[in-house]
Amino acid sequence: MGLKSTVLIDNKQAVPKEFNKISGRYDFATGLSHGYQEDLNYSASLLKLEGHEQVLDLCCGTGKSTSAVLDFIATGKVIGVDNSEGMLVEANKKFQQKSVEGNVEFQLQDAMHLNFPPNSFDAIFMAYGLRNMPDYKVCLQQLFTLLKPGGKLVIHDYSLANTWYARPLWGILGWGFIVPFCTVVSGSSRIFTYLVKSVFKFLSPHQAIELLTQVGFVNAKAYPHKYWRAIFFHAFYGEKPG
Ligand SMILES: C[S@@+](CC[C@H](N)C(=O)[O-])C[C@H]1O[C@@H](n2cnc3c(N)ncnc32)[C@H](O)[C@@H]1O
């Protein structure tokens, strides 16, 4: 198992296939995670949508993040993209009515090689996605291109605060609780072992703001999530200059 999880962290293109294995239990497992949907709703609110926008929900999974964005969309549209067939099956089941109404659509695509023309979206939401990308900067450059001038980006992810205790506490939470508990609930340990390792390697809030700025985003900011989650989770905001 140690070898396999090392392979996954060094071969992130294989991550969506791992999500296929747990897609049927993903909503149940995340439903047990305190504040999961509330945090997504909060991060989606940072986009300050008016309702008519075209929004990309990148790495949409089973559609929990899509639902957070859709709450702000009346006449616009959310396109959910993910590279796991299994996760998209679950998402499509949930939003049958909305997709008939034309408010939402799901597409199977690799987030590192998106098939949309430049300036396609008013806003992009990426929840628990950037951490899974083999190259964060290349992915963000692509998102910058896909946004219309003045478009907004929110990245929502685990990101360990710059305090001395965030990393040891993440180790205790990850290895002591998330891996054993989620393995029992989902029936697979590999993706959760990868989760713990990938969070250790991911950008700190300070690094994320620096990277967004390097890519060309303006007004880049980090928003910690609520309560105890503030040391583990952040939303990163940036705008493409108008
Ligand atoms: C933790 S889930 C997050 C799902 C959803 N955004 C949410 O908030 O519940 C991460 C998702 O990223 C997707 N993913 C990982 N790498 C990807 C890639 N290269 N292209 C597209 N999707 C990817 C996985 O298939 C998985 O559904």
Side-chain angles (χ1 to χ4, degrees):
M1 201 241 293
L3 179 63
K4 277 187 173 178
S5 59
T6 305
V7 171
L8 199 54
I9 203 146
D10 292 338
N11 177 22
K12 289 186 173 180
Q13 296 302 112
V15 167
K17 301 295 161 239
E18 281 306 307
F19 274 96
N20 279 337
K21 296 182 191 163
I22 61 157
S23 55
R25 296 187 186 187
Y26 183 82
D27 284 0
F28 178 66
T30 50
L32 299 173
S33 168
H34 179 244
Y36 190 88
Q37 190 65 49
E38 184 189 344
D39 285 347
L40 286 172
N41 296 346
Y42 168 69
S43 295
S45 77
L46 297 172
L47 290 169
K48 296 203 166 43
L49 297 168
E50 291 172 2
H52 54 78
E53 293 90 344
Q54 298 289 310
V55 186
L56 173 64
D57 176 23
L58 190 54
C59 296
C60 63
T62 62
K64 287 196 160 191
S65 45
T66 317
S67 158
V69 177
L70 263 176
D71 281 349
F72 297 96
I73 290 296
T75 56
K77 184 167 187 174
V78 183
I79 299 186
V81 165
D82 202 282
N83 217 16
S84 159
E85 299 86 345
M87 297 294 266
L88 290 185
V89 166
E90 299 302 317
N92 273 306
K93 276 189 214 161
K94 252 183 238 169
F95 293 99
Q96 267 166 4
Q97 186 55 37
K98 287 272 181 201
S99 59
V100 172
E101 289 164 9
N103 284 122
V104 64
E105 177 191 326
F106 294 101
Q107 296 187 12
L108 185 73
Q109 289 197 43
D110 180 351
M112 289 298 293
H113 302 98
L114 292 167
N115 187 19
F116 298 107
N119 305 328
S120 287
F121 297 101
D122 300 291
I124 298 178
F125 191 50
M126 191 177 194
Y128 305 112
L130 187 64
R131 185 175 33 83
N132 295 316
M133 297 301 112
D135 189 322
Y136 309 139
K137 188 172 183 180
V138 170
C139 180
L140 289 174
Q141 284 168 331
Q142 184 191 209
L143 302 189
F144 188 85
T145 305
L146 292 183
L147 278 171
K148 296 177 187 172
K152 299 166 191 167
L153 171 73
V154 167
I155 301 288
H156 164 118
D157 218 314
Y158 293 84
S159 169
L160 302 177
N162 299 312
T163 56
W164 66 267
Y165 49 84
R167 293 179 75 82
L169 283 180
W170 173 246
I172 293 167
L173 179 68
W175 298 122
F177 181 73
I178 295 177
V179 172
F181 180 75
C182 293
T183 301
V184 171
V185 171
S186 73
S188 173
S189 67
R190 198 172 170 215
I191 195 71
F192 298 104
T193 304
Y194 160 76
L195 165 69
V196 177
K197 291 185 178 181
S198 66
V199 172
F200 274 125
K201 289 195 162 193
F202 192 51
L203 304 168
S204 68
H206 178 75
Q207 290 169 326
I209 291 172
E210 204 171 274
L211 190 58
L212 283 168
T213 308
Q214 267 179 33
V215 168
F217 287 95
V218 292
N219 296 326
K221 287 190 191 75
Y223 295 84
H225 289 183
K226 281 189 187 161
Y227 313 123
W228 63 271
R229 303 191 297 272
I231 57 166
F232 299 132
F233 299 91
H234 288 79
F236 303 118
Y237 175 86
E239 289 163 16
K240 180 169 173 172

